[in-house]
Amino acid sequence: MTDTPNDRYDAIIVGAGIIGAAVAFELAKKGYSTLNLDKLPASGYGSTSNSCAIVRAHYSTYDGVAMAYEGFSYWKDWAGYLDAEDERGHALYMQCGTVLFMLDGGHHEKVLPLFDQVDVPYEVWDNETLAERVPFFEHGTHGEPCRPEDDRFWAEPEGELIGALFTPDSGYVSDPQLATHNLQRAAEAVGGEFRFNAEVADVRRADGRVAGVTLSDGTEIDAPIVVNVAGPHSFVINRMAGVYESMNIKTRALRHEVHHVPSPAGIDYEDDGLHTSDSDLAIYVRPESGNNILIGSEDPACDDQVWVDDPDDYDNVVSDAQWNAQVLRLARRMPTLGVPNEKKGIVDLYDVSDDWIPIYDRTDLDGFYVAIGSSGNQFKNAPVAGYCMAELIDAIENGHDHDTDPLVVTGVYTGLEMNMGFYRRNREINPNSSFSVNG
Ligand SMILES: Cc1cc2nc3c(=O)[nH]c(=O)nc-3n(C[C@H](O)[C@H](O)[C@H](O)COP(=O)(O)OP(=O)(O)OC[C@H]3O[C@@H](n4cnc5c(N)ncnc54)[C@H](O)[C@@H]3O)c2cc1C
């Protein structure tokens, strides 16, 4: 690559969240001079900082499962993958395992054949095994998810789980912001640069391709490659670049609440609990430090979806109604759980695509790429997505016609083939998606 003066780079990456930092690391390793620009004061301070950082493989499509399974290995080998020190230490991979509850018509029916195809290690537990391994869970099923305001919420269970699908390799990352900082340090160690408090206000073009960006203070920085990794602001950057209308799949920001409750007395959920996907009650939970439990939502139809037009202006206070709904849903599964008076949790934005599957692609503007639409489910895939984006950008910049001949990337750890055409911007909406955080 070229020897670049300070205001010109081979690639500008808009955003320094977990995916933007991963794209930088992988491009820098290939010899590209990279600059990440972020309007916040440090890496991973955007939606990444509030991520639950759960690492699991139960997606609804072959491609979704394959990429997530390849992603496991990056987290298990985090220090080896980074090959760089961080003065703040490395984020830890907490390999607690996942249980996906099985019920008639449940998500496991899609997932099991995909696990077999991809060769994801798993165990099928019956309810006795479930009771032995995680004794704190009730096994009732409750029909279509509803809200606590609905009398049906309080009715006796309608039926029973039919066991659980256990994946021993999954877990969560101890600190998503630190993991991003680790990637920043790794990218810097191979020549990548980061600039903070730097807001991109315009994406410039010249001679039919992208030419660089202009910051809100008027600074112009040039690059023949610009990558939009702006998380919930992805649609704003696409509009700046003039590519928003040309993409078949669009992205929008969705408000999402996650709640933190203490483990019930006598239960050490931090050490004995695991990540749990409960589509019967439309929640997911995982252990959290301080013997807490973190509760997220699978966005059931009965809950209002709050789409946000301006990602810089949304209500970031935990609401009484959603706190009650999510905590009471877990209390149905874990009857000894109390509902604390003090609400604790976070509110942040998902960058949701039309089919809850990300867009990892080029655009109609030559040199302008997108790694967007992470739909509340791509923290885990950030390192592998960074690798795939670097392969894609490098192939296209060297003449590959990805639109007619989609690039297939071979996973470094598993050797699995990942067809990047699956993530293209002009796909039809994928009918196999769960249209939820499960992807
Ligand atoms: C509450 C919550 C829970 C989640 N839980 C999980 C989970 O358990 N597992 C999982 O795999 N995924 C999860 N996700 C999703 C995952 O966290 C995201 O997919 C991932 O963090 C997105 O990373 P990113 O780098 O694309 O975006 P972000 O981290 O949002 O980074 C984008 C960056 O772009 C910057 N930016 C935006 N506009 C501009 C501009 N004009 N100029 C300069 N900079 C700009 C922002 O400041 C921001 O730092 C969750 C997400 C949320 C919100």
Side-chain angles (χ1 to χ4, degrees), residues 49-54 137 172-174 176 256-263 269-270 274-277 283-297 323 326-327 330 334 337 344-346 350:
S49 64
N50 281 323
S51 182
C52 300
I54 292 163
F137 289 137
Y172 62 97
V173 176
S174 61
H256 190 80
E257 296 196 15
V258 175
H259 305 126
H260 294 204
V261 288
S263 293
Y269 203 81
E270 185 175 355
L274 25 66
H275 162 233
T276 306
S277 248
I283 50 171
Y284 62 87
V285 302
R286 75 150 169 85
E288 173 64 340
S289 57
N291 199 18
N292 286 307
I293 307 176
L294 187 154
I295 316 169
S297 167
W323 164 263
Q326 290 179 197
V327 178
L330 180 57
M334 232 180 172
L337 184 83
K344 269 196 182 164
I346 60 89
Y350 288 171

Side-chain angles (χ1 to χ4, degrees), residues 159-172:
E160 272 226 322
L161 297 172
I162 49 177
L165 178 60
F166 174 66
T167 36
D169 291 325
S170 45
Y172 62 97

Side-chain angles (χ1 to χ4, degrees), residues 17-19 38-39 47-48 51-54 200 349 374 376 379-380:
I18 189 78
I19 301 177
D38 204 297
K39 61 183 182 173
S47 70
T48 294
S51 182
C52 300
I54 292 163
V200 172
L349 301 176
S374 59
F379 176 89
K380 63 183 73 57

